[in-house]
Amino acid sequence: INAEYMGVTCAEISVVLVYFQLCYEDYRWWWRSFMYAGSSGAYLFLYSLYYLNTTLNMHSAISITLYISYMALLSTTLSVLTGTVGFVAAVCFVRFIYTALKVD
C-alpha cells in the first residue's frame, strides 16, 4: 500500500509542476516531468549515505563498497520507476488539457 501512495504522490507532484511550467509558457516539460518524480531516488541515495555515516558501524572497505553499490542500484531503480510514473501522469494530463481546449 505504501508503493501506491508513493506512485500517487509522484504523479501528483509531476502534474502540478508541469502545470506551473506550462502556465509560464515553458513547453520543455518532457524530461523535467521525469526528473520531478525521479528525484526521490537521489533523496534515497543521499539518505543512505547519511545513514551509513551516522548509524551503521561498518569498518571494512569491502562492506562499505558493497553497501554503496547496492544502494546506488536501488536508488537508480527507484528513480527510473518513479520518474516513469511521473512522466506518464504528465503526458496524460497534458493530453487531457489540450484535447479539452477548443480553438475557433
Side-chain angles (χ1 to χ4, degrees):
I1 195 163
N2 288 334
E4 293 171 2
Y5 287 145
M6 186 170 189
V8 169
T9 302
C10 288
E12 289 175 348
I13 288 172
S14 189
V15 165
V16 167
L17 291 176
V18 165
Y19 176 73
F20 287 149
Q21 194 171 350
L22 291 174
C23 284
Y24 289 119
E25 297 179 1
D26 185 7
Y27 299 104
R28 297 172 301 192
W29 58 270
W30 293 84
W31 281 106
R32 289 182 188 170
S33 67
F34 183 84
M35 293 307 295
Y36 291 147
S39 62
S40 60
Y43 173 77
L44 175 69
F45 186 71
L46 291 175
Y47 183 77
S48 69
L49 292 179
Y50 171 76
Y51 186 75
L52 174 67
N53 288 330
T54 58
T55 306
L56 295 179
N57 292 324
M58 291 187 192
H59 301 293
S60 171
I62 295 173
S63 298
I64 293 171
T65 304
L66 192 63
Y67 174 78
I68 291 174
S69 300
Y70 278 130
M71 290 310 296
L73 183 64
L74 182 68
S75 300
T76 304
T77 304
L78 182 70
S79 290
V80 169
L81 288 175
T82 56
T84 302
V85 168
F87 176 73
V88 169
V91 166
C92 292
F93 171 72
V94 168
R95 287 187 186 222
F96 176 75
I97 63 172
Y98 281 118
T99 56
L101 184 70
K102 286 190 175 184
V103 178
D104 291 330

